[in-house]
Amino acid sequence: LPVRQQTLRAAIEWSYSLLDSEERRLLRWLAVFAGGCDLEAAAAVCSDPGANRPILDNLISLADKNLLRVEQIQGEPRFDFLRTIYAYAQDQLVASGEPQLAHRKHADYFLSLAERARKGYRGPERTTWLDRLEREHDNLRGALSWLLAQGEAATASRLGDAVGILWAWRGHDREGRAWLTRILAVEGDVAPGLRAKVLNGLAQFECQQGDLDSAEKHHTEAWRLTRSVDDQRGMTDALRGLGHVARQRNDLDRAVSYWRESLALEHALGADPFHVAGTLGLLAAALARKKDFGEAVNHVRQALAIAQDVGDLTLLAENYLTLSEVALAQKDYPQAREYATKSRSLAIEIKHAYGCAATDLVL
């Protein structure tokens, strides 16, 4: 047989040798992605200022030569390698001396994407953004790994904070806790408000896993940091987290106190509807367990009205669950089941793992 057909690697090398310089550069730069990429990501990371052709033309050319796989996801093309070609492209990227620049552009792009998702996840677009982050989970992991290896504490903190919405809403609690622990262990100059966000995110996962001492410690540290720089938004997050810890310990009076203080700060800041609705729901559930049903129902009705006004299915699901808990506390079991069923239906629609699990406890 010809030499090019004697081993798989020889066949790939032969195919690579037939590419022009633009196609070769693109093929090796695409190896910086883990789990493939869409056209937006490829253009942001791999575009060559000196190229003579649009990047899409070169992507199609590589696919036509069987060096790339293309699949359609929600009407958009996604590009990926067979494993053997991916390994070869990685070797070529290293040999080119370009991996540092490629990884920098990769990390910058996925930080930008995650922060856009963080801003856009509120309201009816939440599920769309979370689905997109889920598809890019391997790339986000790769970006975080590279930033940590570079010792970039501040940038890794920004990315970890932004990806936290994916870990929290899609049931990746253990992974989220592990990443945020690693991020906090990196020495570097991180602004107090940013470090507090990471601490609050870590404490949230610890609380959900029952490690209440660690959760309280980290929420308290976050509260002190934000208070030291008068970051009132950060203070509301820490107080809300401390309320969760107190509720887990069945210290309802303390939980209600934390959430009332958080709510007062929210109103002083201009009443962010998402934070207000979330805190009202928490207060309602705690008050119902204290048998204060009138105030509990009033709070959760306000929260539902806000959720409907902003069109956020997650807030609706959470507050229908709260209504079911209020009904359950009043021993109105048919009503509790009706509200829990509504909440579960919404949780399934938005792929909210924690919400599905929580409704199971009622149903």
Side-chain angles (χ1 to χ4, degrees), residues 131-195:
D131 285 346
R132 188 170 180 184
L133 290 186
E134 192 82 75
R135 286 195 297 274
E136 302 296 354
H137 205 167
D138 284 340
N139 278 310
L140 294 163
R141 292 175 178 124
L144 271 172
S145 292
W146 185 79
L147 289 168
L148 290 172
Q150 304 304 303
E152 297 191 22
T155 309
S157 295
R158 286 173 59 192
L159 184 53
D161 173 56
V163 182
I165 63 168
L166 171 66
W167 296 325
W169 293 106
R170 291 292 168 86
H172 303 290
D173 291 13
R174 279 189 287 183
E175 180 173 2
R177 180 176 180 177
W179 278 116
L180 296 181
T181 299
R182 287 179 62 189
I183 289 168
L184 288 167
V186 177
E187 294 183 4
D189 188 14
V190 181
L194 177 56
R195 185 172 179 82

Side-chain angles (χ1 to χ4, degrees), residues 121-328:
Y121 88 105
R122 294 179 166 194
E125 297 299 314
R126 185 194 295 253
T127 301
T128 300
W129 277 111
L130 288 174
D131 285 346
R132 188 170 180 184
L133 290 186
E134 192 82 75
R135 286 195 297 274
E136 302 296 354
H137 205 167
D138 284 340
N139 278 310
L140 294 163
R141 292 175 178 124
L144 271 172
S145 292
W146 185 79
L147 289 168
L148 290 172
Q150 304 304 303
E152 297 191 22
T155 309
S157 295
R158 286 173 59 192
L159 184 53
D161 173 56
V163 182
I165 63 168
L166 171 66
W167 296 325
W169 293 106
R170 291 292 168 86
H172 303 290
D173 291 13
R174 279 189 287 183
E175 180 173 2
R177 180 176 180 177
W179 278 116
L180 296 181
T181 299
R182 287 179 62 189
I183 289 168
L184 288 167
V186 177
E187 294 183 4
D189 188 14
V190 181
L194 177 56
R195 185 172 179 82
K197 288 180 179 180
V198 178
L199 285 164
N200 278 324
L202 174 60
Q204 177 185 349
F205 294 128
E206 291 169 335
C207 185
Q208 289 176 353
Q209 294 171 3
D211 190 352
L212 301 183
D213 289 342
S214 291
E216 183 172 27
K217 171 188 170 184
H218 290 132
H219 277 313
T220 301
E221 186 180 348
W223 182 80
R224 288 172 179 161
L225 281 172
T226 52
R227 190 182 182 194
S228 71
V229 293
D230 196 29
D231 176 4
Q232 294 188 30
R233 171 64 63 216
M235 290 168 66
T236 66
D237 292 338
L239 289 166
R240 193 160 47 246
L242 286 167
H244 280 293
V245 175
R247 182 183 63 181
Q248 289 285 75
R249 287 183 165 139
N250 206 32
D251 188 346
L252 297 179
D253 289 338
R254 197 173 175 200
V256 167
S257 175
Y258 280 131
W259 288 332
R260 288 195 193 282
E261 188 176 353
S262 177
L263 196 59
L265 271 175
E266 285 290 350
H267 286 297
L269 288 169
D272 180 305
F274 292 88
H275 285 99
V276 169
T279 308
L280 283 169
L282 293 170
L283 262 174
L287 289 167
R289 289 174 64 183
K290 287 167 59 66
K291 310 299 183 186
D292 190 347
F293 298 119
E295 189 176 2
V297 171
N298 180 50
H299 283 330
V300 76
R301 294 289 183 192
Q302 289 181 54
L304 272 172
I306 293 171
Q308 289 166 343
D309 187 50
V310 298
D312 191 290
L313 298 182
T314 303
L315 282 176
L316 283 171
E318 289 178 343
N319 284 289
Y320 275 125
L321 177 61
T322 300
L323 273 176
S324 75
E325 292 172 348
V326 173
L328 196 62

